[in-house]
Amino acid sequence: MPDLFNKIGKFAGAAAETATSKAEEMREINKIKSEQNDMKNEYSSVKKKLADYVFKKYQDGTLEDETLKEFCSKMQELRDSIDALDEDIKEVKRDYEEKAAIRAEERNRL
């Protein structure tokens, strides 16, 4: 019987050691992932600043690199399209507001 308790104790000890080891591993991985996420955020920030800088040069007419000019031109086209879609959204909202106002007037007449 003491042999059985010894085996159970060793098994429980090994399980506890495994669980502790796994917890330490996860803690270390999470620490590294957190650092990695911080770097990814900083990378995105620097990338955006670079893009803004290059695009500003393009708008100022001081950008000389043809490949960058092509990218900037595409960005400008996309911005213009986005602005046009914003106007479409405003127009749709105005139309629906006008229709809602007309319906409200009709209800008030009843």
Side-chain angles (χ1 to χ4, degrees), residues 4-73:
L4 175 64
F5 287 126
N6 249 353
K7 287 182 181 180
I8 290 173
K10 286 181 182 178
F11 179 77
E17 187 177 312
T18 299
T20 301
S21 176
K22 193 64 174 172
E24 288 175 6
E25 174 189 358
M26 293 305 298
R27 185 179 50 81
E28 192 65 28
I29 287 171
N30 286 336
K31 180 181 170 186
I32 294 169
K33 282 185 176 182
S34 176
E35 187 177 341
Q36 184 183 48
N37 283 335
D38 290 345
M39 286 182 182
K40 284 180 179 180
N41 289 337
E42 185 176 356
Y43 175 86
S44 293
S45 175
V46 171
K47 186 176 176 182
K48 184 187 179 325
K49 287 177 184 176
L50 174 63
D52 290 345
Y53 174 79
V54 170
F55 193 68
K56 177 89 170 97
K57 290 271 201 194
Y58 170 77
Q59 289 177 317
D60 293 345
T62 59
L63 186 63
E64 295 180 12
D65 185 291
E66 290 303 316
T67 302
L68 292 177
K69 283 182 180 180
E70 288 176 27
F71 284 122
C72 289
S73 176

